[in-house]
Amino acid sequence: MILSLFAKRMTLGTIVPVAARIAHPAKFSIITRRTLFATTQFNVSQETGEENTRKTVEKRAIKGERAAPVKRGRPPSEHQKKKPKQEQQRVRIPKNLKPPKRAPGPYLLFYTSFLKSQPRASSLEEIHELTRRAGETWRGYSMAEKQPFYDENEARKAQAKEQREEFCRNTSQTDLKQLNAIRKVQGKPKFHAKKKASNPVSAYLLFSNEFRNSPDGQALINETSPEKSYVVRGVLAAANRWSSMSPEEKAPYFEKFRKAKEEREAEHADT
């Protein structure tokens, strides 16, 4: 009996696949010898797969999207997530807390007067042209022509110093803290009621400033490396003259530096 059942299974396992292939040529069946159960599977044609791929590519091209890569691992925690930057609030300083402005420099004073004498610019190109012409005019001035602007600058500096001292005397610590809090929101540096004493100017810088403002220095600057800018020519001319000076010629500048240093140390000791 066992042999007869085995023969029937072998016969069915051979005949059924053949009959299935004859009836359905496009599909095949898998028959297990244990259960004699036929599972039909369908083959996807190559043309159908290519059509589906083409449609997918067209959809992505239309949407302009790209499949995002799958990120593995744990999701980011709350403190790791990027938070949007908060826009700085526009805070204005009250008029009673506004510190006095610094005095404009000599060139800025000249530039302001130069613009008043020229027709008003209506475009950015005209502004650039006026700025270029102002620079050329300033460089062509002699020291005598520049001296009025230097004198006005010194007067403005003395006036600004008095205004600052008066502002510091009349401003309380509470108002000063409020002012610095607003300036911090605006991204500006902290305002100090007591201005720190700056380091004294070195002997070479004292000579360089005096040399650039002298007629002899102006003539030497114009002769030195004409292809380079005015600032570079001034530095080169001052350095060449300083290196050629004797120790006796340099002594007055070192004496000025020594006195300025002693005064600064005395002020620092008093505070």
Side-chain angles (χ1 to χ4, degrees), residues 173-188:
Q173 291 294 329
T174 305
D175 293 339
L176 189 62
K177 288 181 180 179
Q178 182 182 356
L179 170 63
N180 287 328
I182 297 174
R183 289 173 67 89
K184 184 177 180 181
V185 174
Q186 294 178 344
K188 296 180 180 180

Side-chain angles (χ1 to χ4, degrees), residues 129-168:
E129 179 64 19
L130 286 175
T131 304
R132 185 186 63 80
R133 284 161 47 190
E136 291 179 354
T137 306
W138 177 258
R139 289 191 292 270
Y141 274 6
S142 63
M143 191 58 203
E145 294 173 319
K146 294 179 181 179
Q147 193 61 40
F149 302 103
Y150 281 96
D151 295 340
E152 186 178 356
N153 169 252
E154 293 297 330
R156 294 278 191 98
K157 285 168 65 175
Q159 184 180 2
K161 185 178 180 181
E162 293 178 0
Q163 292 176 354
R164 181 187 177 91
E165 292 176 354
E166 183 180 358
F167 175 80
C168 294

Side-chain angles (χ1 to χ4, degrees), residues 47-62:
E47 297 178 357
T48 306
E50 293 176 355
E51 182 69 17
N52 294 337
T53 304
R54 184 182 61 80
K55 289 181 179 180
T56 305
V57 172
E58 290 178 355
K59 288 180 180 179
R60 289 182 180 177
I62 292 172

Side-chain angles (χ1 to χ4, degrees), residues 7 21 38 97 110 112 115 147 154 172 196 211 226 243 261:
R21 291 180 182 179
L97 294 180
F110 158 77
T112 305
L115 290 182
Q147 193 61 40
E154 293 297 330
S172 62
K196 296 181 180 180
F211 174 79
S243 59
K261 186 177 179 181

Side-chain angles (χ1 to χ4, degrees), residues 7-79:
K8 288 181 180 181
R9 289 188 179 183
M10 291 296 293
T11 305
L12 290 172
T14 306
I15 296 173
V16 173
V18 177
R21 291 180 182 179
I22 294 173
H24 304 284
K27 53 190 177 181
F28 63 92
S29 302
I30 299 176
I31 298 176
T32 59
R33 297 178 180 272
R34 291 180 177 273
T35 60
L36 302 177
F37 178 76
T39 303
T40 305
Q41 295 183 355
F42 295 91
N43 282 335
V44 180
S45 63
Q46 186 177 1
E47 297 178 357
T48 306
E50 293 176 355
E51 182 69 17
N52 294 337
T53 304
R54 184 182 61 80
K55 289 181 179 180
T56 305
V57 172
E58 290 178 355
K59 288 180 180 179
R60 289 182 180 177
I62 292 172
K63 293 182 179 180
E65 297 178 354
R66 185 177 180 181
V70 180
K71 295 183 179 180
R72 298 181 179 180
R74 296 180 180 178
S77 57
E78 292 296 330
H79 69 278

